Every structure is written in C-alpha cells, then in structure tokens.
C-alpha cells in the first residue's frame, strides 16, 4: 500500500467520523446506511486534481468547473451531501434500498453514494445539461467501479425518460422553481429533495408527492451552484450604498435611490428583550420574518454587505451574506447582529434607517418575540401547480413562481 493510499484512507475515515460527530452536535442522528455509504465511496476519485486533504474536508465543496469567476459545477461539501441523503432516506417510506432514483446535477460522487444506498435491486440515473460535466462524471464513476449508474446529458427541465417514474428525485443544483416534469416523474408518494430558493433563502426541502402537489417533510439550510438551461433564474443585486446590496430573487422592483436615501440616515436599534442560549437555532426565524413581512404588505428583500461596510458601521446585519429585510416608504429595516450578556445568553435585535425607523424596528422585534412565543415553529412548504385557485390553497404565505404556487406555512408548535 502506497503512502498516498494509506493517507487517503486515514483522511477518508476521519472525514466520516467528523460528519457523524457534526450530526450529533446538531441534534441529528446519521442513518447507518448513509454512514456506510460514506465510508464505502472514495471521494478523492471524484475530485481529480484536488489534493487528498481538500478532497476529504467535511466542510468544503470542490469546484470542478468555472466560467469566469462563477462556479458552475462542483462536488458538494460532504456535510451537505450527508444531510440531503439523510433527508431522502427519512422521507422515502421504507428507506432507499431497492428504490429507483433520478439525480439532477452530476458530480459523480453523490450518484455513487446513491448507488450504494439503493443496492443491487435499485437503480440510479444522473443527468446534467453540460456535456463536459457528464463526461467527467462517467469517467469518475467508472474509475470508482460504479459503471452501472446511467449518465444522461440533457436539460432536466424536461422529462429525462418520458413515462418513467422514480421513487426519489434528488437535485444537486440550486433551483428557483419546480418544473412540472419533476412532479410528473415522481411515483405517487415519491420524494423530491431539492435546494430551493424560497424568499431569497436556499433550503434543501424534502417533499412528498400527493397527486399534483408536493408537501415538505423536512428542510435544511444549504447553498449550491445555480441551475442552468430553461430552469435558470437570475438573481439580481441592487447597490444601495457603498458595499451594501439588496438581493432580489423574485420579480421585485426596488427604487435604489429611495432605499439609498433611507440607508444614509442614522441607524435606530431595538431589542426583543429575550435571553437565548448559544445553541438556539435561528434559521427558521428568517422564513418567519419573510412571511410576516410579506403578509403585512411590506416588501421583503435580502440584505447583503461587504465586510468593509459592516466594519464602518454603515449597516449591522445578522449575517452579511444574507439577512431578511423589510422595505416601505418610511424605513429600511433588517435583523441585526446579536447582543450577548454576561451569562453567555443572547438577545435578538433589529436595525432600521429612515423617518419611521422606530416603528419599523418595534414591529420586527415584535415578530421575533411572536416566533419564540409560538414555540419557534418550523416552516412547511406546499408546492401546487401555477393557476391553482386561491380558494384551493392551504393557509400560509403565497409566493408565485413560473410553474408553481408556493405556500409557506408556519404553524405554532
């Protein structure tokens, strides 16, 4: 055994050990079959050109193709792959053994893991729009001994194998909508796992099909390279101050000059007056705020900022890569950084700029307290065909897409 091979095996073992420990720290339990698949598939065979240490980092994706500065294909970070496979295994009744799976977005590694999970009586088909990507996936799968995975070069916006149904469709590129072909290719009660941009924030949603509708079973925070082809949807950025931007994921219109004038006014800060332990998970709070802002008739946007703008005090967002914000004529308001006390507990806050800043921050921290008082409810996403009448929609906040009507429900726990 060569030194490199031995080192790769040690790194591989350490990566999976780390993933199992990370799951436990998040309060999750990694399914034994997912752990076994992760231990079986040598990831470095799917990241040619990357150092072994890079291939086996639990928290790092490996970019395999760029166009200019934009990453258009990658082998996803192992922690994210593990969580999405766990979502799939949990949502598919009876687990994945013997199931027929369609993967949309081909890196090769995830398809190999799926092949391990479905076993000899199952099947895996993986599709990508880019011939260079599918050729590379085919070569890597063959080198790793998974030459029975079917690799297809096509735009998955359309049916891959017309008339065929799959028990699981798992998408490994960031999607903005659910095309009819995906639902149509799912078996009744089949599962779709997809990184979906919802109110400007990407979640991996595991959803089950019932007729022409999908209802979420679980969701996780994530990030992926964007969908190409007919399903692509441009994310727009509007500059409102030096180093401060609004990310617009829907068909929104924003007066950048008006927002710039608001953001130039001094910040007003308000606090929710709560004491939360360090491990409190706030991911679902952002979707709660998005739904409440929308339902109140305000415009919901996502604030992003460069570090220099944060350091200079221009804005103080909770997360500079994407913080929920509300716009109206008199204020620009967003969730702010946390306030820690001497007991290592933290408070939630909001910042706003503009003549109605005090009103806006008071409203937002009230929404935060309402989320906590409701038991920090988890969101449920319903996806229905475009054109579904309002009277046939479940209760929740409606977001209309090209092919679908999304309804986000947050029921108190």
């Amino acid at each position: 055994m060569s030194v490199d091979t031995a080192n790769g095996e040690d790194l591989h073992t350490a990566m999976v050990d780390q993933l199992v420990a990370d799951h436990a720290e998040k309060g999750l339990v990694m399914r034994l079959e997912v752990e076994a698949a992760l231990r079986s598939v040598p990831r470095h065979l799917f990241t040619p050109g990357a150092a072994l240490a890079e291939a086996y980092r639990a928290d790092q994706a490996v970019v395999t193709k760029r166009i200019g500065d934009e990453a258009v294909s990658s082998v996803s970070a192992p922690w994210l792959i593990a969580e999405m496979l766990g979502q799939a295994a949990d949502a598919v009744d009876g687990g994945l053994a013997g199931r027929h799976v369609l993967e949309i977005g081909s890196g090769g590694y995830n398809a190999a893991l799926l092949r391990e999970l479905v076993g000899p009586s199952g099947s895996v088909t993986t599709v990508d729009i880019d011939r260079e990507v599918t050729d590379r996936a085919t070569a890597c799968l063959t080198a790793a001994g998974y030459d029975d995975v079917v690799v297809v070069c096509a735009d998955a916006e359309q049916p891959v194998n017309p008339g065929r149904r799959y028990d699981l469709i798992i998408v490994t590129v960031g999607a903005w909508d659910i095309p009819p072909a995906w639902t149509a290719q799912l078996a009744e009660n089949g599962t779709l796992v997809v990184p979906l941009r919802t109110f400007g924030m990407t979640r991996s949603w595991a959803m089950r099909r019932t007729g022409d509708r999908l209802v979420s079973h679980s969701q996780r925070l994530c990030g992926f390279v964007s969908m190409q082809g007919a399903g692509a949807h441009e994310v727009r950025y509007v500059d409102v101050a030096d180093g401060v931007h609004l990310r617009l994921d829907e068909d929104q219109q924003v007066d950048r000059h008006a927002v710039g004038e608001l953001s130039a006014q001094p910040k007003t800060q308000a606090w929710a007056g709560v004491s939360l332990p360090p491990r409190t998970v706030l991911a679902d709070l952002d979707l709660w705020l998005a739904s409440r802002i929308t339902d109140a008739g305000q415009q919901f946007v996502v604030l992003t900022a460069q570090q220099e703008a944060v350091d200079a005090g221009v804005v103080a967002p909770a997360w500079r890569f994407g913080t929920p914000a509300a716009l109206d004529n008199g204020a620009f308001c967003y969730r702010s950084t946390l306030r820690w006390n001497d007991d290592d507990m933290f408070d939630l806050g909001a910042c706003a700029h503009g003549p109605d800043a005090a009103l806006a921050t008071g409203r937002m921290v009230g929404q935060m307290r309402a989320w906590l008082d409701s038991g920090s409810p988890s969101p449920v996403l319903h996806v229905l065909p475009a054109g579904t009448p309002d009277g046939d929609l479940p209760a929740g906040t409606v977001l209309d897409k090209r092919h679908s009507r999304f309804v986000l429900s947050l029921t108190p726990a």
Side-chain angles (χ1 to χ4, degrees):
M1 180 182 297
S2 70
V3 173
D4 282 349
T5 300
N7 188 41
E9 291 179 353
D10 289 345
L11 291 169
H12 187 174
T13 298
M15 180 193 78
V16 182
D17 290 346
Q18 182 65 54
L19 292 172
V20 173
D22 289 346
H23 263 61
E25 188 173 345
K26 294 177 182 178
L28 305 173
V29 177
M30 183 179 291
R31 293 178 67 111
L32 293 177
E33 65 268 35
V34 173
E35 180 182 347
L38 288 164
R39 294 195 186 279
S40 296
V41 179
R43 189 169 187 260
H44 70 277
L45 296 182
F46 298 89
T47 59
L52 283 174
E54 182 182 6
Y56 288 109
R57 280 193 57 177
D59 61 349
Q60 181 171 297
V62 176
V63 176
T64 54
K65 183 175 180 179
R66 295 182 185 272
I67 297 178
D69 294 332
E70 181 184 4
V72 296
S73 183
S74 68
V75 177
S76 301
W79 72 265
L80 180 51
I81 289 175
E83 289 200 12
M84 289 181 71
L85 291 175
Q87 283 185 280
D90 287 341
V92 175
D93 287 337
L96 293 177
R99 302 297 183 175
H100 301 288
V101 179
L102 173 64
E103 180 195 32
I104 296 173
S106 298
Y109 178 57
N110 195 58
L113 293 168
L114 287 164
R115 192 69 194 89
E116 291 284 343
L117 287 165
V118 300
S121 60
S123 69
V124 176
T125 300
T126 183
V127 59
D128 198 281
I129 196 172
D130 189 326
R131 174 65 67 182
E132 183 180 338
V133 171
T134 54
D135 286 349
R136 179 185 163 282
T138 298
C140 292
L141 285 162
T142 300
Y146 296 96
D147 52 4
D148 58 349
V149 171
V150 177
V151 183
V152 178
C153 183
D155 188 339
E157 185 84 355
Q158 304 302 322
V160 177
N161 290 305
R164 181 168 183 190
R165 295 287 185 91
Y166 296 91
D167 303 299
L168 168 68
I169 298 176
I170 186 164
V171 184
T172 57
V173 288
W176 179 78
D177 195 4
I178 306 293
W182 295 1
T183 305
Q185 290 175 106
L186 273 180
E188 185 65 18
N189 297 319
T191 296
L192 171 68
V193 180
V194 54
L196 197 59
R197 303 206 305 268
T198 314
F199 289 102
M201 293 169 280
T202 301
R203 299 286 192 279
S204 171
W205 296 92
M207 296 182 283
R208 287 176 173 162
R209 176 188 174 183
T210 302
D212 61 358
R213 304 183 177 202
L214 299 165
V215 181
S216 68
H217 179 269
S218 66
Q219 53 91 21
R220 302 278 190 275
L221 275 172
C222 67
F224 275 88
V225 298
S226 297
M227 183 78 66
Q228 301 178 55
H233 186 85
E234 181 185 8
V235 178
R236 295 176 294 129
Y237 289 84
V238 175
D239 299 335
V240 296
D242 287 342
V244 181
H245 324 282
L246 301 183
R247 189 171 71 221
L248 308 180
D249 203 35
E250 308 301 329
D251 297 324
Q252 301 153 288
Q253 300 299 318
V254 169
D255 185 335
R256 63 181 296 270
H257 298 291
V259 180
E261 290 177 358
L262 289 173
S263 63
Q265 298 188 39
K267 290 194 298 288
T268 295
Q269 176 86 60
W271 299 101
V274 297
S275 292
L276 302 175
R279 290 182 180 272
T280 303
V281 177
L282 299 177
D284 294 342
L285 172 59
D286 288 348
L287 284 177
W288 172 276
L289 290 175
S291 69
R292 294 305 183 265
I293 289 166
T294 302
D295 291 345
Q298 299 171 287
Q299 187 170 14
F300 173 80
V301 294
V302 176
L303 167 65
T304 67
Q306 296 175 7
Q307 188 61 53
E308 293 81 1
V310 175
D311 293 342
V314 179
V315 288
W319 190 46
R320 70 181 186 87
F321 297 105
T323 293
L327 285 178
D328 58 31
N329 292 330
F332 166 44
C333 184
Y334 52 89
R335 188 161 77 84
S336 70
T337 52
L338 307 177
R339 179 172 66 176
W340 293 87
N341 62 29
D342 294 339
D343 296 325
D344 200 28
M345 305 284 276
F346 68 87
D347 195 0
L348 301 171
C351 280
H353 308 252
D356 295 337
L359 177 64
T361 54
R363 181 165 48 215
M364 184 170 282
V365 296
Q367 291 161 343
M368 295 172 184
R369 287 192 293 266
W371 179 70
L372 293 169
D373 291 343
S374 297
S376 306
S378 295
V380 175
L381 184 66
H382 306 258
V383 179
L384 303 93
T388 301
D390 288 350
D392 291 340
L393 299 177
T397 302
V398 179
L399 185 61
D400 284 310
K401 302 276 187 169
R402 183 184 306 138
H403 301 297
S404 316
R405 305 197 77 184
F406 290 5
V407 181
L408 184 68
S409 301
L410 292 108
T411 304

